[in-house]
Each structure stands twice: as structure tokens, then as C-alpha cells.
């Protein structure tokens, strides 16, 4: 968990392409596809090396800035806010 509204589920072993993820109570959305999930349960998700599974609690507001290779590479402008529906 990153705070109370963001859950990241990276794969930590080689040759693993999916994993079980426990979503806490509430409504959750897949950050990449916006697919809705009910919390309080475990789900099986695809976890390819190039995409970390990310889940966002319904109603959260996520600040999004430009892609960077390292902190301070360039100005963090503009920052936009991504609202996750309920």
C-alpha cells in the first residue's frame, strides 16, 4: 500500500506472469484498465514485467506528472489530477 488509496503489486520473482492480490474493503479500480473490483477479497491479476499492477481505491484523486528516469531530471510540470470514480 502507498497511503490508503494506492496499492502496487509488483512481481518479485523471475518467470512469474501473474499473482494473487488482496484488495482491502471498498471499491478498487485497475489503474491501467479502469476495471472495477470489489474489495475484501483476493484476485488473480496478470503481472508482466513491463507493467506493475496498480489498484486505486474508488473516489481517490491521484496526482500525475511527466514521466522521468530519475528525480529532478526535468521540471515536474504540468501536474494533472486523475479522479477515480466511485
Amino acid at each position: 500500500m502507498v497511503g490508503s488509496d494506492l496499492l502496487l503489486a509488483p512481481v518479485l520473482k523471475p518467470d512469474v506472469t501473474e499473482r494473487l492480490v488482496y484488495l482491502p474493503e471498498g471499491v478498487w479500480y485497475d489503474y491501467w484498465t479502469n476495471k472495477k473490483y470489489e474489495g475484501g477479497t483476493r484476485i488473480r491479476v496478470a503481472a508482466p514485467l513491463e507493467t506493475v499492477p496498480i489498484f486505486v481505491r474508488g473516489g481517490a484523486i491521484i496526482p500525475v506528472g511527466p514521466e522521468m528516469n530519475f528525480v529532478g531530471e526535468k521540471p515536474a510540470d504540468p501536474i494533472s489530477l486523475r479522479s477515480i470514480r466511485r
Side-chain angles (χ1 to χ4, degrees):
M1 292 291 297
V2 179
S4 60
D5 294 328
L6 199 58
L7 188 148
L8 284 73
V11 169
L12 304 174
K13 297 180 182 177
D15 300 323
V16 174
T17 58
E18 65 180 19
R19 67 172 294 175
L20 284 175
V21 176
Y22 175 76
L23 296 175
E25 292 292 328
V27 176
W28 292 85
Y29 292 89
D30 181 303
Y31 180 83
W32 306 111
T33 66
N34 218 26
K35 182 177 177 182
K36 181 180 177 179
Y37 294 93
E38 290 299 323
T41 188
R42 290 180 186 264
I43 60 171
R44 183 170 302 277
V45 296
L49 287 176
E50 61 276 0
T51 307
V52 173
I54 301 174
F55 297 91
V56 182
R57 190 183 304 270
I61 297 174
I62 306 297
V64 180
E67 189 174 309
M68 292 188 214
N69 292 312
F70 56 89
V71 174
E73 176 184 19
K74 57 187 171 187
D77 295 333
I79 291 182
S80 58
L81 300 177
R82 182 173 178 198
S83 175
I84 306 302
R85 63 179 169 211
R86 271 207 148 143

